[in-house]
Amino acid sequence: MLFVFLIQWLLQVAEPAPPQFRGQVIDDHISIGYGIALGDVDGDGKPDILLADKKQIVWYRNGDWKRRVIAENLTEHDNVCIAAQDINGDGKVEVAVGAQWNPSETSNADQSGAVFYLKRPANPEQMWEPVRLPHEPTTHRMKWVKADDEKYYLVVLPLHGRGNSGGEGAGVKVLAYQYPDDVNGEWKIFMPDASMHLTHNFDMHLSENKKQNGLYIAGKEGIRWIKTDFSKQAAGKATAIAGMEQAAGEVRAGKLAPDKSFIATIEPMHGTAVVVYVRDDNAKRIVLDDDVKEGHALAVADFLGVGSDQVVAGWRAPGKEGKVGVKLYVKKDAGGTQWQPYWIDDNGMACEDIQVMDLNGDGKPDIVASGRATQNLKIYWNVSRK
C-alpha cells in the first residue's frame, strides 16, 4: 500500500501545474494589427512591443505601454509585417517593415509589396526615416536571421510568386537582404529559394551545434526547409520534409524533449486545425484542435518551465463554438501524442498575430497578441507556477 501511495504521489509531483495567464489590454483602438515584433527600442534593457498597424508603425514602451508612432502612410496600401532585432550590439533593435499590402496584384511591384528599413533618430519617439529597398510583389512576412556566416539578413517572404494566380505559376522568391555597413547604400540580396507556391509564414531553427540552422517555410506544398548559408548558394530548392506535405499557413519549431523536436502548424493557410508533427524517422501528424477558423497566429515556448515546449495558437474568425480566441496546448505524454488545451483568451481576441518573450524579467515567457475584428492589443502575463 505504501508503495502504491508513493507512486501516485510521484506522478502528481511530476505533473506540471496548469498554466495561468493574466490578460492586460495595451491598446483597444488598433486598426488591424497585422504584425507584432518584440525587442528593446529605447535601450533601457526591457523589451518593448512594436506593431505594424494598418497605416502606422508604432511601439509601446515597457512599463507605461503608451502608443508611439514612428512611421505612417508609407505606401498607398496597408502595412503588413515587421521585424526587430538588435543587430549591431548597441542594445537597441533595428527595425524593418513590409507595406503596400495588395495580395491580388502579383505582377506590378509598384502596386504590390514594399520593404523598408526604418532608420532610427536620436530620440526613438520621433519619426524614423524609411529607407526603401527592392522587393517582390505581395510582400507578406519578414524576420531578421543570423546566417551561417554570422551576418544578419532580413529574410522576406512574399505570399505569391510574381504573376501568380490562385497559387499557380512562378515560385515564390524568398529574398535575403544582407545587413550593410551603410543602410543608405547597397543591400546585397540573395534568393535562397524560388520553388514554393502560395507561402504564408516561416520560422527560424537554430541548432545547438550550428550544423542544422535553417528556416521552416509553410505554404501550399506543406512544410519545407531552407539552409541559412545565404551568401554561398544561388537560387536553390527548398527541401521537402517527409510526412509534412499538407498545405499550411503557420509553422513553428519546438522541443518535445532534450533530444526530440516537433513542428507545430496551422493547416491549411488561414486554417481550421492546429497540428503537431513529432520528429522521428517519419513525421507523425497529431491534431491538437480542429475547432478554429482562420487560424493566423502560432508560437511555441516552455511557458511552464518543464523542459519541453508548449504550443499557443490564435484564430480570428468564430470557430465551431462561435468563438475567436487564443489557446495553449500542453503535452500529456512523453511521446507528444496527447495534448491538453487551455483557454488563454476565450472569445476576446480575434487573433491576427502572436509573439512570445519574457517581458518582465521573471524568467517566464509572456504572450503578446493583436486582434483584427476585436481591434485590441493584449499582453497575457505568465503567472503559472513552475
Side-chain angles (χ1 to χ4, degrees):
M1 179 67 72
L2 179 61
F3 177 76
V4 173
F5 174 79
L6 180 61
I7 294 297
Q8 291 176 339
W9 179 80
L10 287 173
L11 288 173
Q12 289 176 352
V13 171
E15 184 175 339
Q20 294 183 338
F21 289 82
R22 174 176 55 84
Q24 178 182 355
V25 177
I26 300 303
D27 193 340
D28 59 2
H29 287 88
I30 70 171
S31 297
I32 291 178
Y34 281 106
I36 301 168
L38 305 176
D40 192 349
V41 176
D42 56 356
D44 65 354
K46 297 183 291 186
D48 307 298
I49 300 174
L50 300 98
L51 181 71
D53 210 355
K54 183 179 176 69
K55 286 296 184 182
Q56 295 180 326
I57 305 297
V58 302
W59 70 282
Y60 304 80
R61 176 178 286 138
N62 191 320
D64 63 28
W65 304 116
K66 292 181 180 178
R67 182 182 178 105
R68 294 162 168 87
V69 179
I70 59 174
E72 60 184 340
N73 300 319
L74 292 171
T75 56
E76 175 187 356
H77 299 290
D78 295 354
N79 303 314
V80 68
C81 55
I82 186 168
Q85 176 73 44
D86 179 10
I87 292 173
N88 58 20
D90 66 352
K92 304 173 186 177
V93 292
E94 278 65 52
V95 179
V97 298
Q100 193 72 332
W101 178 233
N102 187 15
S104 62
E105 175 53 68
T106 63
S107 299
N108 188 335
D110 291 331
Q111 288 299 313
S112 179
V115 175
F116 295 93
Y117 175 80
L118 297 186
K119 193 174 179 181
R120 68 164 54 239
N123 180 354
E125 296 190 28
Q126 296 177 345
M127 301 298 279
W128 295 33
E129 177 189 347
V131 178
R132 186 184 287 267
L133 303 177
H135 71 279
E136 285 294 300
T138 68
T139 298
H140 186 243
R141 289 291 182 266
M142 58 172 53
K143 297 181 189 295
W144 292 108
V145 174
K146 192 173 186 179
D148 293 4
D149 58 8
E150 298 295 316
K151 296 179 181 179
Y152 274 99
Y153 293 76
L154 178 68
V155 178
V156 178
L157 184 69
L159 185 69
H160 293 283
R162 190 180 283 256
N164 277 15
S165 177
E168 300 291 337
V172 173
K173 292 182 179 179
V174 182
L175 300 182
Y177 302 66
Q178 188 181 99
Y179 185 73
D181 293 331
D182 178 8
V183 297
N184 290 305
E186 179 187 3
W187 291 57
K188 293 181 181 179
I189 302 176
F190 302 88
M191 186 171 61
D193 185 65
S195 66
M196 297 183 69
H197 299 81
L198 199 57
T199 54
H200 192 262
N201 212 335
F202 66 106
D203 190 35
M204 296 175 287
H205 172 73
L206 303 176
S207 65
E208 292 183 3
N209 57 16
K210 295 187 178 181
K211 292 182 179 180
Q212 298 179 4
N213 292 350
L215 307 176
Y216 289 108
I217 298 185
K220 179 182 176 182
E221 289 88 356
I223 307 302
R224 292 194 175 179
W225 169 264
I226 293 177
K227 296 180 180 179
T228 54
D229 54 349
F230 303 136
S231 63
K232 294 182 181 180
Q233 60 182 347
K237 185 175 182 180
T239 303
I241 303 174
M244 299 189 195
E245 297 87 0
Q246 297 205 43
E250 307 295 326
V251 60
R252 293 291 184 269
K255 183 173 68 174
L256 196 66
D259 59 347
K260 197 171 187 179
S261 63
F262 69 84
I263 304 296
T265 67
I266 293 179
E267 299 174 353
M269 188 178 82
H270 296 178
T272 56
V274 182
V275 175
V276 156
Y277 292 90
V278 177
R279 301 300 306 279
D280 286 316
D281 293 335
N282 294 303
K284 184 175 183 180
R285 183 176 184 269
I286 300 158
V287 177
L288 308 189
D289 199 340
D290 62 358
D291 186 17
V292 304
K293 187 175 181 181
E294 292 193 26
H296 207 264
L298 189 67
V300 300
D302 185 3
F303 297 97
L304 303 180
V306 294
S308 62
D309 290 334
Q310 299 85 51
V311 178
V312 59
W315 61 100
R316 64 187 190 185
K320 295 176 183 177
E321 296 182 2
K323 296 179 179 181
V324 296
V326 177
K327 280 185 181 179
L328 184 74
Y329 305 88
V330 180
K331 75 181 180 74
K332 297 173 64 177
D333 65 322
T337 61
Q338 300 180 52
W339 296 70
Q340 176 69 43
Y342 295 90
W343 279 103
I344 301 297
D345 194 314
D346 185 348
N347 207 35
M349 170 61 63
C351 198
E352 184 74 11
D353 194 20
I354 279 176
Q355 297 295 329
V356 171
M357 186 176 284
D358 179 5
L359 297 178
N360 57 6
D362 66 353
K364 295 183 289 188
D366 305 298
I367 300 169
V368 182
S370 55
R372 189 181 183 97
T374 46
Q375 297 185 306
N376 51 354
L377 177 70
K378 297 177 74 172
I379 298 173
Y380 303 96
W381 296 103
N382 187 352
V383 293
S384 305
R385 292 184 291 109
K386 290 188 176 181

